[in-house]
Amino acid sequence: MYCPASPPIEYSISKLGDNVYQMGSKFICEKTVGEIPGDAIASWKDCDDTTYYLRKATSKELSSAEKQEFKDVIYQAGTSSSVWSIGTSVICKVKTCCDEMELESITLAFVAGNLPHMPIPKVVFSWRDTEWNRTFLLLKRIKGQTLHSAWPSLSLEHRDKIAATISRYCRDMATLQAPALQSATGLGVLEPFLNVNAENSHPSWKPRLLGPFHRGVFEKYIQRISEQPAPLLGDVFHFYHADLGPTNIIVSGDGEVTGVLDWESAGFYPKYWISLKPYMSAGFSLGSKESRREWVDLFETKLSEVGFELNREDVRWCEQLHMDFFDVNKALLED
């Protein structure tokens, strides 16, 4: 059911005055050239030698009638997600949330602790706004441009180098294992391509989690939605980013990967999902009709070289899944 969040996601940040911004229902972000006040809970330097800081909002500020839309939007995805520039060195990512949903900042901390060589954004500050049902994530910008933007100007050698690097990262991530389909810390995962469709009454802004499911329950779930025999599951689940499309990879002009973004769907998945997901999601495609599958095809080749070969029967299996809504927890977990 189409239903915007309240307030709508595009009003998650509003402008109260020159260099003063309200973030969600609780905090104020200000830009200063002077000292950072003692009540600041986070601060960061911008590229022009000014400083931004975050503090709790006063009741007067929250009730201000002078609020204006903050228009420095980098990206917006429907009713559930938006990203803003905060100066030149930090971005603010806002996403609607639901109960038991993993904070992306926690996933980033998990990656930093277990895969320190992985180039990920540095978290400045993160919080869950329970009143507005959304999360706020302040991240340091990463130098470079998205693979999507850089692709036309990259040489074949540099494209090959990038695909090989991302594939090695997938191999490294997959060495981390868990006994269940789950997030980094054991919650459900945000994976719409494995989740059944939403109930008609489900609001479009509200994320839907799948799991956590131990092997037996996940196997039963897959059997329930499968028309053809499902891929071999394996004994464990492997950590995977799950959204390595060209807009989530930051690269330099010489083919170096400088950053991997958007870890909100990361978690422990069946091994077959590592090579299968790029074929199921349009987010892995490039923009132009002529080149739209070039990243998918090159990525598939490099994944196969590190042990994740795509089975074409798995593609056909996934394309024919029955995704009509049913109450997953009631049908599977209460048996």
Side-chain angles (χ1 to χ4, degrees):
M1 176 181 69
Y2 176 80
C3 177
S6 180
I9 196 72
E10 59 266 31
Y11 294 103
S12 298
I13 302 179
S14 56
K15 190 173 182 180
L16 300 184
D18 290 340
N19 301 318
V20 182
Y21 311 95
Q22 180 181 334
M23 291 185 167
S25 67
K26 297 180 180 179
F27 294 116
I28 296 293
C29 177
E30 290 192 72
K31 182 179 180 180
T32 182
V33 293
E35 293 185 3
I36 302 170
D39 61 349
I41 58 175
S43 64
W44 61 93
K45 289 284 187 183
D46 206 34
C47 294
D48 59 358
D49 291 328
T50 58
T51 299
Y52 284 86
Y53 65 90
L54 198 67
R55 61 170 173 81
K56 286 188 176 181
T58 65
S59 56
K60 182 178 180 180
E61 288 169 325
L62 293 176
S63 61
S64 171
E66 303 299 320
K67 296 178 185 178
Q68 302 173 29
E69 184 178 355
F70 183 44
K71 297 182 178 180
D72 286 354
V73 179
I74 301 172
Y75 171 80
Q76 183 173 337
T79 59
S80 62
S81 181
S82 197
V83 181
W84 285 265
S85 291
I86 309 297
T88 56
S89 63
V90 165
I91 65 169
C92 182
K93 180 178 180 181
V94 183
K95 182 172 178 59
T96 55
C97 64
C98 60
D99 294 340
E100 301 301 317
M101 179 174 152
E102 188 89 280
L103 288 175
E104 187 174 352
S105 59
I106 292 177
T107 303
L108 287 168
F110 175 85
V111 175
N114 289 278
L115 301 161
H117 62 292
M118 195 80 67
I120 59 175
K122 181 180 178 181
V123 176
V124 176
F125 196 70
S126 173
W127 71 97
R128 186 192 299 267
D129 191 319
T130 54
E131 184 175 336
W132 285 13
N133 294 307
R134 63 202 67 184
T135 60
F136 288 74
L137 179 60
L138 293 167
L139 296 168
K140 284 283 190 179
R141 283 183 178 270
I142 294 177
K143 291 183 179 180
Q145 58 181 323
T146 65
L147 178 59
H148 186 278
S149 298
W151 189 264
S153 62
L154 289 169
S155 67
L156 294 179
E157 179 184 359
H158 288 157
R159 292 177 183 180
D160 191 85
K161 180 180 178 181
I162 291 165
T165 299
I166 296 298
S167 297
R168 288 195 298 271
Y169 288 159
C170 288
R171 178 197 61 196
D172 297 344
M173 284 186 274
T175 62
L176 305 176
Q177 300 175 0
L181 178 89
Q182 63 177 61
S183 71
T185 65
L187 303 177
V189 295
L190 280 169
E191 182 45 281
F193 291 90
L194 283 174
N195 206 346
V196 295
N197 297 329
E199 194 172 12
N200 290 336
S201 60
H202 188 87
S204 59
W205 66 263
K206 191 173 184 179
R208 297 169 55 246
L209 302 178
L210 183 66
F213 292 155
H214 281 271
R215 187 183 186 282
V217 176
F218 181 72
E219 197 165 36
K220 188 188 300 184
Y221 170 75
I222 290 297
Q223 289 172 355
R224 170 77 181 260
I225 64 175
S226 294
E227 182 175 294
Q228 298 183 4
L232 183 65
L233 182 55
D235 295 328
V236 296
F237 296 80
H238 302 265
F239 191 69
Y240 180 42
H241 179 284
D243 196 10
L244 289 168
T247 59
N248 288 337
I249 299 166
I250 305 297
V251 300
S252 64
D254 59 356
E256 295 293 332
V257 175
T258 59
V260 179
L261 310 179
D262 286 357
W263 290 81
E264 62 195 39
S265 292
F268 292 89
Y269 292 92
K271 183 180 178 181
Y272 62 74
W273 198 239
I274 296 171
S275 57
L276 183 54
K277 175 65 184 286
Y279 274 82
M280 307 317 301
S281 171
F284 283 75
S285 300
L286 293 160
S288 69
K289 185 177 181 180
E290 295 76 18
S291 64
R292 63 185 303 270
R293 295 200 62 83
E294 288 181 355
W295 170 245
V296 174
D297 293 339
L298 181 58
F299 191 27
E300 178 198 344
T301 299
K302 295 303 177 183
L303 280 172
S304 68
E305 292 175 1
V306 294
F308 304 103
E309 187 168 356
L310 179 68
N311 185 331
R312 298 291 167 174
E313 289 298 320
D314 293 350
V315 177
R316 285 186 280 274
W317 161 77
C318 201
E319 289 174 340
Q320 297 181 34
L321 291 176
H322 294 293
M323 306 306 275
D324 293 340
F325 171 78
F326 68 94
D327 189 326
V328 175
N329 290 334
K330 185 175 181 180
L332 301 178
L333 300 183
E334 294 181 1
D335 285 353

PDB file of all heavy atoms in Angstrom, residues 173-202:
ATOM      1  N   MET A 173      34.570 -11.872   2.406  1.00  0.00           N
ATOM      2  CA  MET A 173      33.359 -11.797   3.229  1.00  0.00           C
ATOM      3  C   MET A 173      32.807 -13.190   3.506  1.00  0.00           C
ATOM      4  O   MET A 173      32.347 -13.484   4.616  1.00  0.00           O
ATOM      5  CB  MET A 173      32.296 -10.943   2.528  1.00  0.00           C
ATOM      6  CG  MET A 173      32.542  -9.450   2.593  1.00  0.00           C
ATOM      7  SD  MET A 173      31.159  -8.485   1.912  1.00  0.00           S
ATOM      8  CE  MET A 173      31.580  -8.471   0.169  1.00  0.00           C
ATOM      9  N   ALA A 174      32.843 -14.043   2.491  1.00  0.00           N
ATOM     10  CA  ALA A 174      32.239 -15.373   2.610  1.00  0.00           C
ATOM     11  C   ALA A 174      32.968 -16.274   3.596  1.00  0.00           C
ATOM     12  O   ALA A 174      32.422 -17.303   4.014  1.00  0.00           O
ATOM     13  CB  ALA A 174      32.169 -16.042   1.240  1.00  0.00           C
ATOM     14  N   THR A 175      34.186 -15.901   3.982  1.00  0.00           N
ATOM     15  CA  THR A 175      34.884 -16.696   5.004  1.00  0.00           C
ATOM     16  C   THR A 175      34.227 -16.536   6.370  1.00  0.00           C
ATOM     17  O   THR A 175      34.440 -17.358   7.262  1.00  0.00           O
ATOM     18  CB  THR A 175      36.367 -16.288   5.103  1.00  0.00           C
ATOM     19  OG1 THR A 175      36.458 -14.915   5.512  1.00  0.00           O
ATOM     20  CG2 THR A 175      37.079 -16.480   3.773  1.00  0.00           C
ATOM     21  N   LEU A 176      33.432 -15.471   6.534  1.00  0.00           N
ATOM     22  CA  LEU A 176      32.664 -15.284   7.766  1.00  0.00           C
ATOM     23  C   LEU A 176      31.369 -16.076   7.624  1.00  0.00           C
ATOM     24  O   LEU A 176      30.620 -15.891   6.662  1.00  0.00           O
ATOM     25  CB  LEU A 176      32.362 -13.804   7.995  1.00  0.00           C
ATOM     26  CG  LEU A 176      33.580 -12.871   8.016  1.00  0.00           C
ATOM     27  CD1 LEU A 176      33.129 -11.425   8.155  1.00  0.00           C
ATOM     28  CD2 LEU A 176      34.535 -13.244   9.138  1.00  0.00           C
ATOM     29  N   GLN A 177      31.093 -16.951   8.570  1.00  0.00           N
ATOM     30  CA  GLN A 177      29.971 -17.877   8.431  1.00  0.00           C
ATOM     31  C   GLN A 177      29.069 -17.838   9.663  1.00  0.00           C
ATOM     32  O   GLN A 177      29.496 -17.465  10.759  1.00  0.00           O
ATOM     33  CB  GLN A 177      30.492 -19.300   8.217  1.00  0.00           C
ATOM     34  CG  GLN A 177      31.359 -19.447   6.976  1.00  0.00           C
ATOM     35  CD  GLN A 177      31.978 -20.827   6.841  1.00  0.00           C
ATOM     36  OE1 GLN A 177      31.763 -21.706   7.684  1.00  0.00           O
ATOM     37  NE2 GLN A 177      32.744 -21.032   5.776  1.00  0.00           N
ATOM     38  N   ALA A 178      27.811 -18.220   9.446  1.00  0.00           N
ATOM     39  CA  ALA A 178      26.824 -18.278  10.524  1.00  0.00           C
ATOM     40  C   ALA A 178      25.896 -19.461  10.269  1.00  0.00           C
ATOM     41  O   ALA A 178      25.776 -19.932   9.136  1.00  0.00           O
ATOM     42  CB  ALA A 178      26.033 -16.975  10.589  1.00  0.00           C
ATOM     43  N   PRO A 179      25.202 -19.936  11.298  1.00  0.00           N
ATOM     44  CA  PRO A 179      24.309 -21.092  11.121  1.00  0.00           C
ATOM     45  C   PRO A 179      22.927 -20.723  10.605  1.00  0.00           C
ATOM     46  O   PRO A 179      22.064 -21.594  10.484  1.00  0.00           O
ATOM     47  CB  PRO A 179      24.215 -21.661  12.538  1.00  0.00           C
ATOM     48  CG  PRO A 179      24.370 -20.460  13.420  1.00  0.00           C
ATOM     49  CD  PRO A 179      25.344 -19.562  12.716  1.00  0.00           C
ATOM     50  N   ALA A 180      22.696 -19.426  10.310  1.00  0.00           N
ATOM     51  CA  ALA A 180      21.352 -18.991   9.939  1.00  0.00           C
ATOM     52  C   ALA A 180      21.401 -17.881   8.904  1.00  0.00           C
ATOM     53  O   ALA A 180      22.420 -17.191   8.747  1.00  0.00           O
ATOM     54  CB  ALA A 180      20.605 -18.496  11.183  1.00  0.00           C
ATOM     55  N   LEU A 181      20.292 -17.712   8.192  1.00  0.00           N
ATOM     56  CA  LEU A 181      20.070 -16.512   7.393  1.00  0.00           C
ATOM     57  C   LEU A 181      19.814 -15.389   8.383  1.00  0.00           C
ATOM     58  O   LEU A 181      18.803 -15.400   9.091  1.00  0.00           O
ATOM     59  CB  LEU A 181      18.860 -16.699   6.478  1.00  0.00           C
ATOM     60  CG  LEU A 181      18.502 -15.476   5.636  1.00  0.00           C
ATOM     61  CD1 LEU A 181      19.255 -15.502   4.315  1.00  0.00           C
ATOM     62  CD2 LEU A 181      16.994 -15.398   5.386  1.00  0.00           C
ATOM     63  N   GLN A 182      20.717 -14.404   8.433  1.00  0.00           N
ATOM     64  CA  GLN A 182      20.621 -13.391   9.477  1.00  0.00           C
ATOM     65  C   GLN A 182      21.486 -12.187   9.133  1.00  0.00           C
ATOM     66  O   GLN A 182      22.312 -12.229   8.228  1.00  0.00           O
ATOM     67  CB  GLN A 182      21.095 -13.971  10.814  1.00  0.00           C
ATOM     68  CG  GLN A 182      22.572 -14.388  10.791  1.00  0.00           C
ATOM     69  CD  GLN A 182      23.076 -14.896  12.123  1.00  0.00           C
ATOM     70  OE1 GLN A 182      22.575 -15.887  12.637  1.00  0.00           O
ATOM     71  NE2 GLN A 182      24.066 -14.216  12.681  1.00  0.00           N
ATOM     72  N   SER A 183      21.264 -11.105   9.881  1.00  0.00           N
ATOM     73  CA  SER A 183      22.114  -9.924   9.770  1.00  0.00           C
ATOM     74  C   SER A 183      23.444 -10.177  10.468  1.00  0.00           C
ATOM     75  O   SER A 183      23.692 -11.268  11.004  1.00  0.00           O
ATOM     76  CB  SER A 183      21.413  -8.718  10.402  1.00  0.00           C
ATOM     77  OG  SER A 183      21.390  -8.869  11.820  1.00  0.00           O
ATOM     78  N   ALA A 184      24.276  -9.163  10.510  1.00  0.00           N
ATOM     79  CA  ALA A 184      25.597  -9.305  11.131  1.00  0.00           C
ATOM     80  C   ALA A 184      25.507  -9.753  12.581  1.00  0.00           C
ATOM     81  O   ALA A 184      26.355 -10.509  13.058  1.00  0.00           O
ATOM     82  CB  ALA A 184      26.361  -7.982  11.030  1.00  0.00           C
ATOM     83  N   THR A 185      24.475  -9.315  13.298  1.00  0.00           N
ATOM     84  CA  THR A 185      24.371  -9.643  14.723  1.00  0.00           C
ATOM     85  C   THR A 185      23.193 -10.554  15.045  1.00  0.00           C
ATOM     86  O   THR A 185      22.782 -10.650  16.197  1.00  0.00           O
ATOM     87  CB  THR A 185      24.269  -8.361  15.573  1.00  0.00           C
ATOM     88  OG1 THR A 185      23.046  -7.675  15.259  1.00  0.00           O
ATOM     89  CG2 THR A 185      25.453  -7.437  15.317  1.00  0.00           C
ATOM     90  N   GLY A 186      22.618 -11.202  14.019  1.00  0.00           N
ATOM     91  CA  GLY A 186      21.600 -12.205  14.292  1.00  0.00           C
ATOM     92  C   GLY A 186      20.164 -11.769  14.132  1.00  0.00           C
ATOM     93  O   GLY A 186      19.248 -12.482  14.560  1.00  0.00           O
ATOM     94  N   LEU A 187      19.917 -10.616  13.500  1.00  0.00           N
ATOM     95  CA  LEU A 187      18.554 -10.169  13.227  1.00  0.00           C
ATOM     96  C   LEU A 187      18.148 -10.597  11.814  1.00  0.00           C
ATOM     97  O   LEU A 187      18.904 -11.255  11.107  1.00  0.00           O
ATOM     98  CB  LEU A 187      18.469  -8.646  13.384  1.00  0.00           C
ATOM     99  CG  LEU A 187      18.889  -8.093  14.748  1.00  0.00           C
ATOM    100  CD1 LEU A 187      18.835  -6.568  14.750  1.00  0.00           C
ATOM    101  CD2 LEU A 187      18.010  -8.653  15.864  1.00  0.00           C
ATOM    102  N   GLY A 188      16.946 -10.208  11.388  1.00  0.00           N
ATOM    103  CA  GLY A 188      16.508 -10.508  10.035  1.00  0.00           C
ATOM    104  C   GLY A 188      17.263  -9.678   9.015  1.00  0.00           C
ATOM    105  O   GLY A 188      17.935  -8.698   9.352  1.00  0.00           O
ATOM    106  N   VAL A 189      17.153 -10.065   7.735  1.00  0.00           N
ATOM    107  CA  VAL A 189      17.857  -9.357   6.662  1.00  0.00           C
ATOM    108  C   VAL A 189      16.863  -8.597   5.785  1.00  0.00           C
ATOM    109  O   VAL A 189      15.694  -8.968   5.662  1.00  0.00           O
ATOM    110  CB  VAL A 189      18.683 -10.323   5.781  1.00  0.00           C
ATOM    111  CG1 VAL A 189      19.800 -10.952   6.595  1.00  0.00           C
ATOM    112  CG2 VAL A 189      17.799 -11.393   5.146  1.00  0.00           C
ATOM    113  N   LEU A 190      17.361  -7.530   5.169  1.00  0.00           N
ATOM    114  CA  LEU A 190      16.582  -6.749   4.208  1.00  0.00           C
ATOM    115  C   LEU A 190      16.921  -7.252   2.806  1.00  0.00           C
ATOM    116  O   LEU A 190      17.847  -6.756   2.169  1.00  0.00           O
ATOM    117  CB  LEU A 190      16.932  -5.264   4.331  1.00  0.00           C
ATOM    118  CG  LEU A 190      16.291  -4.478   5.463  1.00  0.00           C
ATOM    119  CD1 LEU A 190      16.952  -3.111   5.592  1.00  0.00           C
ATOM    120  CD2 LEU A 190      14.797  -4.314   5.219  1.00  0.00           C
ATOM    121  N   GLU A 191      16.200  -8.257   2.352  1.00  0.00           N
ATOM    122  CA  GLU A 191      16.469  -8.824   1.031  1.00  0.00           C
ATOM    123  C   GLU A 191      15.146  -9.073   0.310  1.00  0.00           C
ATOM    124  O   GLU A 191      14.564 -10.155   0.379  1.00  0.00           O
ATOM    125  CB  GLU A 191      17.285 -10.116   1.152  1.00  0.00           C
ATOM    126  CG  GLU A 191      17.643 -10.757  -0.182  1.00  0.00           C
ATOM    127  CD  GLU A 191      18.153  -9.762  -1.208  1.00  0.00           C
ATOM    128  OE1 GLU A 191      17.328  -9.051  -1.818  1.00  0.00           O
ATOM    129  OE2 GLU A 191      19.375  -9.696  -1.415  1.00  0.00           O
ATOM    130  N   PRO A 192      14.644  -8.041  -0.390  1.00  0.00           N
ATOM    131  CA  PRO A 192      13.336  -8.173  -1.044  1.00  0.00           C
ATOM    132  C   PRO A 192      13.292  -9.232  -2.131  1.00  0.00           C
ATOM    133  O   PRO A 192      12.210  -9.728  -2.465  1.00  0.00           O
ATOM    134  CB  PRO A 192      13.092  -6.772  -1.624  1.00  0.00           C
ATOM    135  CG  PRO A 192      14.447  -6.145  -1.722  1.00  0.00           C
ATOM    136  CD  PRO A 192      15.230  -6.701  -0.579  1.00  0.00           C
ATOM    137  N   PHE A 193      14.442  -9.610  -2.688  1.00  0.00           N
ATOM    138  CA  PHE A 193      14.442 -10.595  -3.765  1.00  0.00           C
ATOM    139  C   PHE A 193      14.305 -12.028  -3.247  1.00  0.00           C
ATOM    140  O   PHE A 193      14.133 -12.958  -4.032  1.00  0.00           O
ATOM    141  CB  PHE A 193      15.700 -10.447  -4.621  1.00  0.00           C
ATOM    142  CG  PHE A 193      15.697  -9.182  -5.431  1.00  0.00           C
ATOM    143  CD1 PHE A 193      16.245  -8.020  -4.919  1.00  0.00           C
ATOM    144  CD2 PHE A 193      15.115  -9.140  -6.683  1.00  0.00           C
ATOM    145  CE1 PHE A 193      16.229  -6.841  -5.648  1.00  0.00           C
ATOM    146  CE2 PHE A 193      15.086  -7.972  -7.422  1.00  0.00           C
ATOM    147  CZ  PHE A 193      15.646  -6.817  -6.904  1.00  0.00           C
ATOM    148  N   LEU A 194      14.378 -12.207  -1.937  1.00  0.00           N
ATOM    149  CA  LEU A 194      14.097 -13.507  -1.337  1.00  0.00           C
ATOM    150  C   LEU A 194      12.823 -13.491  -0.503  1.00  0.00           C
ATOM    151  O   LEU A 194      12.324 -14.547  -0.118  1.00  0.00           O
ATOM    152  CB  LEU A 194      15.268 -13.953  -0.450  1.00  0.00           C
ATOM    153  CG  LEU A 194      16.509 -14.504  -1.153  1.00  0.00           C
ATOM    154  CD1 LEU A 194      17.624 -14.764  -0.151  1.00  0.00           C
ATOM    155  CD2 LEU A 194      16.185 -15.783  -1.926  1.00  0.00           C
ATOM    156  N   ASN A 195      12.312 -12.307  -0.233  1.00  0.00           N
ATOM    157  CA  ASN A 195      11.138 -12.172   0.628  1.00  0.00           C
ATOM    158  C   ASN A 195       9.863 -12.204  -0.211  1.00  0.00           C
ATOM    159  O   ASN A 195       9.830 -11.674  -1.331  1.00  0.00           O
ATOM    160  CB  ASN A 195      11.211 -10.853   1.403  1.00  0.00           C
ATOM    161  CG  ASN A 195      10.453 -10.909   2.709  1.00  0.00           C
ATOM    162  OD1 ASN A 195       9.662 -11.816   2.941  1.00  0.00           O
ATOM    163  ND2 ASN A 195      10.696  -9.931   3.570  1.00  0.00           N
ATOM    164  N   VAL A 196       8.811 -12.798   0.329  1.00  0.00           N
ATOM    165  CA  VAL A 196       7.528 -12.792  -0.374  1.00  0.00           C
ATOM    166  C   VAL A 196       6.990 -11.367  -0.438  1.00  0.00           C
ATOM    167  O   VAL A 196       7.438 -10.472   0.282  1.00  0.00           O
ATOM    168  CB  VAL A 196       6.505 -13.717   0.319  1.00  0.00           C
ATOM    169  CG1 VAL A 196       6.964 -15.162   0.246  1.00  0.00           C
ATOM    170  CG2 VAL A 196       6.264 -13.294   1.767  1.00  0.00           C
ATOM    171  N   ASN A 197       6.030 -11.154  -1.324  1.00  0.00           N
ATOM    172  CA  ASN A 197       5.445  -9.829  -1.474  1.00  0.00           C
ATOM    173  C   ASN A 197       4.768  -9.381  -0.184  1.00  0.00           C
ATOM    174  O   ASN A 197       4.338 -10.203   0.632  1.00  0.00           O
ATOM    175  CB  ASN A 197       4.420  -9.826  -2.611  1.00  0.00           C
ATOM    176  CG  ASN A 197       5.056 -10.137  -3.952  1.00  0.00           C
ATOM    177  OD1 ASN A 197       6.220  -9.815  -4.187  1.00  0.00           O
ATOM    178  ND2 ASN A 197       4.301 -10.771  -4.835  1.00  0.00           N
ATOM    179  N   ALA A 198       4.653  -8.082  -0.038  1.00  0.00           N
ATOM    180  CA  ALA A 198       4.020  -7.527   1.155  1.00  0.00           C
ATOM    181  C   ALA A 198       2.510  -7.739   1.112  1.00  0.00           C
ATOM    182  O   ALA A 198       1.901  -7.826   0.041  1.00  0.00           O
ATOM    183  CB  ALA A 198       4.327  -6.039   1.264  1.00  0.00           C
ATOM    184  N   GLU A 199       1.927  -7.806   2.286  1.00  0.00           N
ATOM    185  CA  GLU A 199       0.472  -7.809   2.393  1.00  0.00           C
ATOM    186  C   GLU A 199      -0.060  -6.484   1.851  1.00  0.00           C
ATOM    187  O   GLU A 199       0.600  -5.446   1.948  1.00  0.00           O
ATOM    188  CB  GLU A 199       0.087  -7.986   3.861  1.00  0.00           C
ATOM    189  CG  GLU A 199      -1.346  -8.345   4.105  1.00  0.00           C
ATOM    190  CD  GLU A 199      -1.602  -8.696   5.564  1.00  0.00           C
ATOM    191  OE1 GLU A 199      -0.716  -8.445   6.404  1.00  0.00           O
ATOM    192  OE2 GLU A 199      -2.698  -9.217   5.845  1.00  0.00           O
ATOM    193  N   ASN A 200      -1.250  -6.494   1.265  1.00  0.00           N
ATOM    194  CA  ASN A 200      -1.789  -5.288   0.628  1.00  0.00           C
ATOM    195  C   ASN A 200      -1.857  -4.101   1.576  1.00  0.00           C
ATOM    196  O   ASN A 200      -1.709  -2.951   1.158  1.00  0.00           O
ATOM    197  CB  ASN A 200      -3.185  -5.570   0.056  1.00  0.00           C
ATOM    198  CG  ASN A 200      -3.133  -6.480  -1.151  1.00  0.00           C
ATOM    199  OD1 ASN A 200      -2.108  -6.563  -1.831  1.00  0.00           O
ATOM    200  ND2 ASN A 200      -4.231  -7.181  -1.428  1.00  0.00           N
ATOM    201  N   SER A 201      -2.073  -4.365   2.844  1.00  0.00           N
ATOM    202  CA  SER A 201      -2.223  -3.280   3.820  1.00  0.00           C
ATOM    203  C   SER A 201      -0.887  -2.780   4.371  1.00  0.00           C
ATOM    204  O   SER A 201      -0.863  -1.836   5.158  1.00  0.00           O
ATOM    205  CB  SER A 201      -3.097  -3.748   4.985  1.00  0.00           C
ATOM    206  OG  SER A 201      -2.504  -4.868   5.634  1.00  0.00           O
ATOM    207  N   HIS A 202       0.217  -3.391   3.955  1.00  0.00           N
ATOM    208  CA  HIS A 202       1.521  -3.008   4.500  1.00  0.00           C
ATOM    209  C   HIS A 202       1.951  -1.662   3.922  1.00  0.00           C
ATOM    210  O   HIS A 202       2.003  -1.495   2.698  1.00  0.00           O
ATOM    211  CB  HIS A 202       2.568  -4.070   4.161  1.00  0.00           C
ATOM    212  CG  HIS A 202       3.891  -3.853   4.835  1.00  0.00           C
ATOM    213  ND1 HIS A 202       4.175  -4.329   6.094  1.00  0.00           N
ATOM    214  CD2 HIS A 202       5.006  -3.182   4.432  1.00  0.00           C
ATOM    215  CE1 HIS A 202       5.401  -3.982   6.435  1.00  0.00           C
ATOM    216  NE2 HIS A 202       5.926  -3.283   5.447  1.00  0.00           N
TER     217      HIS A 202
END
